[in-house]
Structures are given as structure tokens and as C-alpha cells.
Amino acid sequence: MMEKVVMVPEWTTEKQKIKVTEYKEECQERSTWVSKMVPKCEKKTREVTYHEMVEQCKEVECKVMKPVMKTVDVSYTVCVPVTVKKDGVRKVCKPVWIDEERECTVMVPTTEKKSGVRKVMKCVPVIKKTTICEDKGQWVQQACETPCAPACGSCAPACGGCAPAVACGCAAPCNSACGSACAPAMKMVWVPNVVQREVEVTCYETQCTEEPYEYCVTVCKPEPKKYMVKVCKTEVTEEPYSWEETTYKHEPRTCQKQVCEWECVTEKKMVKECVCVPKTKTEEYTETTWECVKEEVKHMVKVCTPVCVEKEVDVQVCKMVEKKIMVPAPTCCAPAPCATCAPTCCK
């Protein structure tokens, strides 16, 4: 691992001064013209006609209806009931029950056997051929592809520094029997080999077959049948009977009763009546007229005046700050004599 310096954004809050317009309330004196209606009163005289009620008495002739009681003979008719006995013959209906024979058709159920053919579904095994794929591959050893493989005994600055020869895959240290270069690293790789072949497979198929079968059917057949029924019949017979009949007879009668009759009589009487008499008088009255007069009125008014004020406001500011992080260091091959340059090269 190696240490690396990167720039990271960091948000901070700072105080900044800005100019803000505020409104300040002030009181000012203003004058306006107001119209007022001023009354003017004048005294005047006028003649007024009025009516007075005067009571007067006078003699009047009038017709009056007066009741007079008289005795009068009144004739009227009265209905007197009279009961008379009478004889007669009437027809009477009597019910008589008689047995009668009737015929009807009855449906009698019978069971019959019938034969038929029905379709039956069966699962039958069938052998079919199908093609399958098999992978008959094998594992093969291959050399690893390395981005940088420098020779032993030299330093590879392009790889980021030197490293021991054992890291490159050499079994022995550099400048030995291994040679001038490191042996490459090996890896196991699967090489596929897909082969197709035919295989017999047993499948089940549904087949429809016809087979005979017997079934029972219920059939209704008509049969004639006789039965006895009771029938009600009415017989008409004559029988004597007697009854009482009430009749009314009109008889004239007379009686006396008091009758009230009205007679028209002329009478004289004194009647009081009220008469409206017109009279004239002079009276004083006040006449009011209105005049429009303009007047100046002063009053205080509140006014908002703009004022520029400086204020401090919190503002979000983004700044780039240095930060140290650990990252994996690049690997490289380095010979043993390079131990003197290791502190400066391999960092």
C-alpha cells in the first residue's frame, strides 16, 4: 500500500455581508378638502285648512220589523204501518253426491337395456429418438499473460520499481541456473468439446379408442286406467213457505202551532251624527335649506420609506481540501543488486 494525496470537496458555512432594502414607517402631515352640508333655517307663515268634527242631532223616520206570534191550524200526513201474512212456493237447490266412472292415461316407467359405443383415452408408451449434446472437454495448462516481465538482473522502472526474481515465477534467485529471464506463470484452462449423439427416449402419448358398452334407460309408456270419482250435482225442488209483509197507509191529521210573523212598522227616532266642518288658520313654520361648504382638514398619515441596511448572512461555500488516502502500490521485478536503490525506487 502507498499513500496518495487527493483533493476532496468540503462544504463550509461563511458569514457574508449583503445589502438589504427595508421599509421604515414614518408619520407625515397631509391636508385634504372636505365638503360639508351646512343647514340654513328661515321662519315663514302659511294658511292651513283643517277639519273639525261637530256633533248634530236630527229626527229620522225608519222602518222596523217587529215579530208577531199567531196560532195557525196545520194539516199533515202520517204513514201508519200495517202487517199482512202471505203464503207462497219457492224453488230450493239441494246438493247430491253421485259416483261416476272416468278414464285416464297413466305414464308407467319401464327400464330398458341399450348398447352403444364410447371413446376412451389411454396413455400408450412410445419410443422416440432425440439428439443430446455432451461436453467432452479437458483441462489444459497454459502460460499466464503478464503485463510486464523484465529480465533477471535488471531493473524495470516502467513497472513501478524492482522486485525479487521469485515474484516473477523463478524457483532460484536471479543470476543463477534460472537463466537471464524469469519462467512464465502457468494456469489451468478448460477446453470445451461439444459432441452430439442420438438417444432413445420413452414418451407417453394419449390415444383415443372406441369400445362397446351397455346402459339402462328409463322409458315412460302410456296405459289406460279407470277410476271412480264423486261428483256433486244440484237438484231443484219446490217447497211451500209463508212470510209477513209490512205496508204503510197514509192518514191525514191536523194540529195547531204558534207561528212567528214579521210586520213592518214605521217609527221616528232621534239620531246623532258627526259632521266634518272645514276651518282655516295661519301658522308659522321653519324652512331648512342646505348649502355645500368646502373645508380644509389636516391629518397624520403613516408612510413606508425604503432604507438600505447591511446584514450578515450564512452562505454555503465549497472548497477543495487535501486528503491523504492509502492505495495499493504497483508490483515490479527487481534483482538482488538493486537493494541499494530500493529505498528511492520502491515507494
Side-chain angles (χ1 to χ4, degrees):
M1 301 297 287
M2 61 181 290
E3 193 179 84
K4 190 176 181 181
V5 178
V6 294
M7 302 298 288
V8 180
E10 186 178 318
W11 288 89
T12 57
T13 304
E14 293 183 356
K15 297 270 187 182
Q16 290 186 4
K17 290 185 177 182
I18 59 170
K19 289 184 177 182
V20 181
T21 303
E22 292 184 352
Y23 289 91
K24 185 179 179 182
E25 285 191 356
E26 294 180 355
C27 290
Q28 294 182 2
E29 186 178 352
R30 291 186 182 181
S31 61
T32 54
W33 289 92
V34 179
S35 296
K36 287 186 177 181
M37 300 297 289
V38 179
K40 271 189 176 182
C41 295
E42 292 182 6
K43 285 190 176 182
K44 292 183 178 182
T45 59
R46 63 183 173 188
E47 285 189 354
V48 180
T49 302
Y50 66 96
H51 293 79
E52 281 187 358
M53 299 297 291
V54 179
E55 197 176 72
Q56 295 179 355
C57 292
K58 66 178 181 178
E59 191 177 2
V60 180
E61 286 185 356
C62 62
K63 290 183 179 182
V64 180
M65 299 296 291
K66 286 186 176 183
V68 178
M69 301 300 294
K70 290 181 181 180
T71 304
V72 182
D73 291 334
V74 179
S75 61
Y76 62 95
T77 304
V78 179
C79 291
V80 180
V82 178
T83 304
V84 180
K85 194 174 183 180
K86 291 184 179 181
D87 295 328
V89 179
R90 62 183 175 185
K91 291 182 179 181
V92 181
C93 293
K94 292 183 179 181
V96 179
W97 292 92
I98 303 169
D99 290 335
E100 285 186 2
E101 188 179 1
R102 292 186 181 180
E103 289 185 357
C104 66
T105 303
V106 182
M107 301 299 287
V108 181
T110 56
T111 305
E112 294 181 358
K113 281 189 178 182
K114 290 187 178 182
S115 60
V117 178
R118 63 185 173 186
K119 291 183 179 181
V120 182
M121 302 297 288
K122 293 183 179 179
C123 287
V124 181
V126 179
I127 297 172
K128 290 184 179 181
K129 288 186 178 182
T130 182
T131 304
I132 62 171
C133 296
E134 291 182 354
D135 190 359
K136 295 185 177 181
Q138 60 181 353
W139 292 94
V140 179
Q141 193 174 15
Q142 292 182 0
C144 294
E145 293 181 3
T146 56
C148 181
C152 290
S154 65
C155 187
C159 292
C162 298
V166 180
C168 295
C170 296
C174 287
N175 299 327
S176 64
C178 180
S180 60
C182 298
M186 303 303 290
K187 64 179 180 180
M188 300 299 289
V189 180
W190 175 265
V191 179
N193 182 19
V194 180
V195 179
Q196 293 183 353
R197 66 187 181 91
E198 285 188 350
V199 181
E200 288 185 350
V201 181
T202 302
C203 300
Y204 283 88
E205 291 182 353
T206 56
Q207 292 182 357
C208 184
T209 58
E210 292 183 352
E211 63 177 18
Y213 75 102
E214 290 184 349
Y215 60 95
C216 294
V217 179
T218 302
V219 181
C220 292
K221 292 182 179 181
E223 288 185 5
K225 189 178 180 182
K226 292 182 180 181
Y227 64 99
M228 299 300 290
V229 179
K230 282 191 174 184
V231 180
C232 180
K233 289 186 178 182
T234 56
E235 290 183 355
V236 180
T237 57
E238 291 184 353
E239 60 178 17
Y241 75 103
S242 60
W243 76 95
E244 289 183 351
E245 193 174 279
T246 302
T247 57
Y248 291 92
K249 288 183 179 182
H250 296 280
E251 292 182 359
R253 294 182 183 180
T254 58
C255 68
Q256 289 184 347
K257 66 176 182 179
Q258 296 287 324
V259 178
C260 181
E261 292 183 358
W262 295 89
E263 290 182 357
C264 186
V265 180
T266 304
E267 293 181 353
K268 290 182 179 181
K269 63 179 180 179
M270 298 300 290
V271 177
K272 288 182 180 181
E273 63 178 1
C274 293
V275 181
C276 289
V277 179
K279 291 183 179 181
T280 306
K281 68 176 181 178
T282 304
E283 65 176 11
E284 287 186 354
Y285 70 96
T286 304
E287 190 178 90
T288 304
T289 56
W290 297 84
E291 287 186 0
C292 186
V293 179
K294 287 187 177 181
E295 185 180 11
E296 189 178 1
V297 179
K298 292 183 180 181
H299 58 275
M300 301 301 290
V301 180
K302 285 187 178 181
V303 181
C304 292
T305 308
V307 180
C308 191
V309 182
E310 200 173 61
K311 287 186 175 182
E312 282 190 353
V313 182
D314 291 336
V315 181
Q316 294 286 331
V317 180
C318 181
K319 291 184 179 181
M320 302 302 288
V321 182
E322 289 185 357
K323 187 179 181 181
K324 293 180 180 182
I325 60 172
M326 299 299 291
V327 297
T331 57
C332 62
C333 297
C338 284
T340 55
C341 67
T344 58
C345 181
C346 297
K347 288 186 181 178

